[in-house]
Amino acid sequence: MQGIDPQASVRLVGGVGPRKAAVLESLGVRTIKDLLYNFPRTYEDRRNRVSVGALKDGVAAAFAASVLSVSAKPAYYAKGKKTPFTVLVGDDTGAVEIVFFNSRYMDKIFVTGKQFLFFGMPQRNKGRLQLIHPDFENAAEGGEYSGHGIMPIYALKSGLSQRDMQKWHEEALAAAELVEEYLPERVVAEGKLCGISRALSDIHFPEDKEALRQAKYRLVFEELLLLQAGLMRLKLGRESGQRGTAKTADVTAEGFEGLLPFSFTGAQRRVVGEVFADMRSERAMNRLVQGDVGSGKTAVAAAAIYKAVKSGYQAVLMAPTEILARQHYGDLSALFEGRLKTALITSGLPAAEREALLGGLASGEVDLAVGTHALIQPDVAFGNLGLAITDEQHRFGVGQRVAIARKGGAVPDILVMTATPIPRSLAFVLYGDLDMSVIDEMPPGRRRIATRSVGQGGRGEVYDFAAAEIEKGGQAYVVAPLIEDGEDGSVTAGLRSAESLFEELTERFPSRRVALLHGQMKQREKDAVMSEFSAGGIDVLVSTVVIEVGVNVPNATLMVVENAERFGLAQLHQLRGRVGRGRAQSYCVLILGSESGDAAERARAMTETDDGFKIAELDLSMRGPGELFGVRQHGIPTLRIADLARHIRVAERSKNTARALLESDPMLAKPENRAFGDKVESLFKDVTEVGL
Ligand code: ADP
Ligand code: MG
């Protein structure tokens, strides 16, 4: 593949036909360059060979052994499955069993007495050590293994084999030389980074560990640099310290408390103090308020709104879902009844009503606008916006956060509230320009939510328990991963849908009121169900994750999550936070459809801790970097190699570099920065389309 264009189709690689190309495409690989950027999931070090006697359960190893005996030729048995083909191999120190399930031709390869090199992970099965489908090669007489010492292991999809992937990536290496360096020369030199061609080659097939380390460092640095430079550019003009407006009305935390039906916790009072200090100052506020579910962020937001409006400005509160926006609107318009003029702006408004409300915003007549994404439509303008609050920020793209901030003429104060405590490292990258306040205390009288997990066998008991809770006057949520059966092959995958559960529970609780809520229902229907549940008119609410964020129904005491293995930790924590909001003891039950390692570990974490910060850290370390950091959640590019749970130091360094670059060349338009600027641009293309 001498001199192959990195932009060429992956079809040029030997052995990639239309079918395999389609599978590769589903991994995001279309061109040879994509293949180079498809980094290994892990590596296998094949340089240190061990003797068979030294093989250990769960420790990947390379070893030479000869075939001692083979099982009979594979035979078919019922259901068309084959018996596995097993080979006993060994050396002077011991023997080990090699197992192949789809074993066509294996009996031709493994002939008694022949020598092979094996690479794989031994596992103990019924007391015996086995390797299932190990990599192997024919060993030339006493010869050395000729391949690479450190072998890449790629993520696979059905239809791809590890061997194919290794071969294709090796073939693509020829194109690595032609990938042009896009980091500015100065950055490469000052960061002591290896060049892009070297990095793209060594990340797949490194000579040794040092080469791998350097390649990895370069690629992690680059990824975090691009990300942070992109974010900084989005925020250009929104860095802390920018001139805003001083909100001088004489509203204090203690004074505002008089409007509330409760008194602030110490933490709320402190955070309100921090927010008020920002607002009094002429420097624009840029503050993130973190507080676990139920810690009372809404009251803090209300205090800020009150102070802004009393100082002569308008305020806006943007929530990620209609349900939540309506709930905030309900709470705040009740709280501010007769004091502030409040409007709700959502997407389903009739045209005339919408026009009237927008008129009120533009003229300054409306003091507070509460709403969803509908608030960042181009035709929404404020007369005198002084405060923009986004709730449950992790649900919004960065672009949207910026867009709402730009709705005012002057620079408004920004308050960002999040319930999913964001790990420090992630917050650093995402919100590096924000000041941070933490509400680290719960309102009094809260009891720990008793959490436990059960397998499928425990469902009956769980629903008996639900019946008892309802009998006592409580209400229950039942959350399922899907809306209806049949989505993504759910029936075979054994996943429960909200619709099928709704039917099942309606039958099971004939004298109770069971209702269904999901994202495909009409807004009117959703609202009706939600407000009825709030009012206590529904006993069991079967739902998808639409109820995940922020909804507050203090009388609900039981949260049942079906197929809990399908939900991330942070999401489970959010769901659990829907109960335990009143005085009664609350419960959360996770029903596991599968108890694979990950699912069981997540469930254990949930039963053991209710500390949202701990859960967030754990979530970050358990999930791949890409997942947590994906476009879906944050509206920013997915990370392929950087891991924010581990690469905090590199993030700090690359952030400094990004800042320096943008200070000297804000548009990244100087010749030496152009290639880098283009790359940032293309990465953030979709992000800027979100809301800017
Ligand atoms: P979150 O931080 O999850 O947004 P909310 O603001 O919805 O939490 O508050 C959760 C519940 O706690 C609400 O019912 C609210 O009225 C109540 N609450 C908030 N602060 C206090 C407090 N200091 N004392 C008593 N109840 C409070
Ligand atoms: Mg909230």
Side-chain angles (χ1 to χ4, degrees):
M1 295 209 38
Q2 204 63 48
I4 186 101
D5 180 356
Q7 300 301 346
S9 161
V10 71
R11 291 284 305 276
L12 287 184
V13 173
V16 180
R19 276 232 317 277
K20 300 213 160 145
V23 184
L24 282 173
E25 180 149 355
S26 73
L27 287 171
V29 175
R30 282 179 201 88
T31 65
I32 309 257
K33 190 167 168 188
D34 294 337
L35 205 52
L36 290 171
Y37 273 89
N38 180 51
F39 302 133
R41 185 168 58 74
T42 178
Y43 301 84
E44 225 168 71
D45 192 344
R46 296 181 172 179
R47 293 165 309 169
N48 298 323
R49 284 220 230 130
V50 300
S51 59
V52 174
L55 289 174
K56 282 204 195 75
D57 184 16
V59 181
F63 61 96
S66 46
V67 177
L68 303 177
S69 65
V70 291
S71 71
K73 214 173 151 155
Y76 285 92
Y77 63 91
K79 294 187 195 148
K81 282 190 187 158
K82 276 189 253 175
T83 51
F85 178 62
T86 58
V87 187
L88 193 67
V89 305
D91 62 11
D92 322 338
T93 64
V96 64
E97 204 170 65
I98 309 287
V99 182
F100 294 99
F101 287 99
N102 267 316
S103 49
R104 260 195 297 171
Y105 312 124
M106 285 304 176
D107 53 324
K108 304 226 164 35
I109 297 168
F110 291 100
V111 177
T112 308
K114 260 196 159 182
Q115 265 237 329
F116 292 89
L117 291 165
F118 295 96
F119 314 97
M121 174 83 80
Q123 286 168 326
R124 200 162 286 287
N125 181 12
K126 297 190 188 122
R128 271 183 309 193
L129 219 47
Q130 288 186 332
L131 281 92
I132 296 170
H133 287 236
D135 271 4
F136 62 90
E137 332 212 308
N138 236 317
E141 199 102 356
E144 274 299 296
Y145 169 60
S146 58
H148 297 273
I150 300 176
M151 284 297 279
I153 305 293
Y154 298 96
L156 296 178
K157 276 219 163 163
S158 84
L160 298 180
S161 77
Q162 197 56 253
R163 291 210 142 190
D164 276 345
M165 289 292 271
Q166 289 166 343
K167 215 177 72 207
W168 298 337
H169 282 89
E170 191 163 8
E171 216 175 302
L173 289 187
E177 285 169 38
L178 299 179
V179 174
E180 276 169 41
E181 182 61 74
Y182 37 75
L183 290 188
E185 231 175 271
R186 234 186 62 199
V187 170
V188 174
E190 283 174 7
K192 301 197 177 61
L193 305 175
C194 75
I196 187 62
S197 297
R198 168 98 270 149
L200 286 179
S201 168
D202 285 354
I203 197 68
H204 296 282
F205 295 98
E207 272 296 306
D208 51 32
K209 290 220 159 120
E210 178 56 20
L212 178 59
R213 197 192 61 76
Q214 287 195 20
K216 221 178 208 167
Y217 182 82
R218 144 84 205 213
L219 293 167
V220 169
F221 187 95
E222 159 188 331
E223 193 162 60
L224 294 174
L225 179 69
L226 281 164
L227 174 66
Q228 297 183 94
L231 289 173
M232 282 179 195
R233 273 197 40 186
L234 280 176
K235 293 181 216 165
L236 223 57
R238 271 239 46 85
E239 289 293 312
S240 307
Q242 202 173 4
R243 260 177 83 95
T245 47
K247 319 274 180 313
T248 50
D250 183 26
V251 176
T252 60
E254 290 72 16
F256 175 76
E257 262 181 277
L259 301 184
L260 295 171
F262 46 75
S263 36
F264 276 141
T265 61
Q268 281 171 317
R269 204 169 291 131
R270 171 173 46 76
V271 171
V272 169
E274 287 163 4
V275 168
F276 280 4
D278 284 357
M279 292 178 74
R280 265 195 308 275
S281 141
E282 266 201 9
R283 171 182 172 275
M285 172 164 75
N286 228 357
R287 185 167 291 276
L288 175 70
V289 172
Q290 291 196 30
D292 212 342
V293 276
S295 62
K297 292 181 295 297
T298 315
V300 171
I305 290 164
Y306 194 63
K307 186 174 181 87
V309 174
K310 286 287 157 200
S311 303
Y313 293 91
Q314 289 170 295
V316 58
L317 171 61
M318 185 159 80
T321 63
E322 292 236 11
I323 290 179
L324 195 54
R326 279 166 199 275
Q327 185 181 297
H328 279 322
Y329 175 73
D331 292 350
L332 293 172
S333 52
L335 177 67
F336 293 133
E337 176 85 67
R339 296 190 173 91
L340 264 58
K341 188 158 169 30
T342 305
L344 176 68
I345 312 273
T346 56
S347 48
L349 285 179
E353 196 178 327
R354 179 182 162 83
E355 204 163 309
L357 286 177
L358 293 194
L361 291 185
S363 70
E365 185 205 338
V366 170
D367 299 311
L368 166 65
V370 179
T372 56
H373 301 75
L375 282 167
I376 51 176
Q377 297 308 307
D379 60 339
V380 179
F382 291 84
N384 191 19
L385 184 65
L387 172 68
I389 304 177
T390 54
D391 191 19
E392 310 295 353
Q393 166 64 17
H394 63 293
R395 295 270 138 184
F396 282 115
V398 174
Q400 290 165 326
R401 175 154 67 90
V402 178
I404 193 68
R406 290 189 180 162
K407 285 289 177 190
V411 179
D413 283 331
I414 301 284
L415 190 62
V416 170
M417 305 196 294
T418 183
T420 297
I422 300 169
R424 199 182 69 84
S425 53
L426 190 57
F428 175 83
V429 170
L430 273 185
Y431 312 114
D433 63 332
L434 298 187
D435 298 313
M436 218 182 295
S437 294
V438 181
I439 308 181
D440 49 7
E441 184 186 346
M442 285 290 172
R446 291 286 161 78
R447 290 201 241 173
R448 211 184 143 146
I449 300 162
T451 304
R452 75 191 187 100
S453 71
V454 300
Q456 285 297 321
R459 290 185 76 239
E461 216 181 302
V462 173
Y463 287 111
D464 288 344
F465 183 72
E469 275 302 294
I470 296 165
E471 191 60 44
K472 280 197 289 180
Q475 290 164 278
Y477 293 101
V478 177
V479 175
L482 303 170
I483 297 178
E484 52 189 329
D485 283 340
E487 294 169 57
D488 67 33
S490 57
V491 180
T492 44
L495 292 183
R496 294 309 307 257
S497 72
E499 281 186 355
S500 77
L501 272 167
F502 170 66
E503 278 166 29
E504 181 187 326
L505 296 180
T506 305
E507 255 174 58
R508 190 179 181 118
F509 301 118
S511 62
R512 299 299 181 193
R513 291 150 304 179
V514 182
L516 178 65
L517 181 75
H518 61 69
Q520 274 171 21
M521 287 163 53
K522 292 217 177 66
Q523 190 54 47
R524 244 182 322 105
E525 299 165 352
K526 281 194 281 190
D527 291 345
V529 170
M530 215 45 233
S531 52
E532 213 187 327
F533 187 68
S534 273
I538 290 169
D539 301 305
V540 180
L541 181 60
V542 182
S543 162
T544 55
V545 288
V546 289
I547 52 101
E548 178 194 343
V549 177
V551 175
N552 187 31
V553 180
N555 192 50
T557 54
L558 174 63
M559 165 62 67
V560 179
V561 184
E562 296 266 359
N563 291 111
E565 75 280 2
R566 272 306 183 97
F567 298 88
L569 255 186
Q571 207 171 21
L572 290 174
H573 183 64
Q574 282 287 326
L575 286 171
R576 176 167 61 183
R578 295 309 107 224
V579 296
R581 302 189 143 239
R583 298 249 153 208
Q585 172 65 50
S586 287
Y587 306 88
C588 173
V589 185
L590 309 175
I591 302 183
L592 298 176
S594 103
E595 290 170 61
S596 69
D598 236 30
E601 202 180 324
R602 278 203 296 269
R604 194 167 46 248
M606 286 295 294
T607 53
E608 281 170 8
T609 180
D610 55 2
D611 180 335
F613 279 91
K614 260 195 216 143
I615 287 174
E617 296 286 354
L618 217 68
D619 196 34
L620 184 60
S621 66
M622 281 179 68
R623 294 209 245 169
E627 273 178 70
L628 185 74
F629 216 67
V631 174
R632 198 176 58 81
Q633 261 180 322
H634 295 286
I636 59 175
T638 307
L639 293 177
R640 292 159 170 275
I641 190 165
D643 175 353
L644 287 163
R646 296 194 297 126
H647 296 139
I648 181 74
R649 295 268 282 286
V650 192
E652 276 164 20
R653 263 178 240 146
S654 55
K655 183 172 203 161
N656 289 335
T657 304
R659 189 174 287 127
L661 269 172
L662 286 170
E663 262 164 26
S664 69
D665 183 10
M667 297 318 290
L668 296 173
K670 289 185 183 166
E672 65 270 28
N673 298 333
R674 274 284 276 289
F676 179 69
D678 289 349
K679 187 100 178 166
V680 172
E681 196 89 354
S682 76
L683 259 181
F684 278 79
K685 183 173 77 235
D686 300 331
V687 180
T688 45
E689 280 165 9
V690 171
L692 290 179

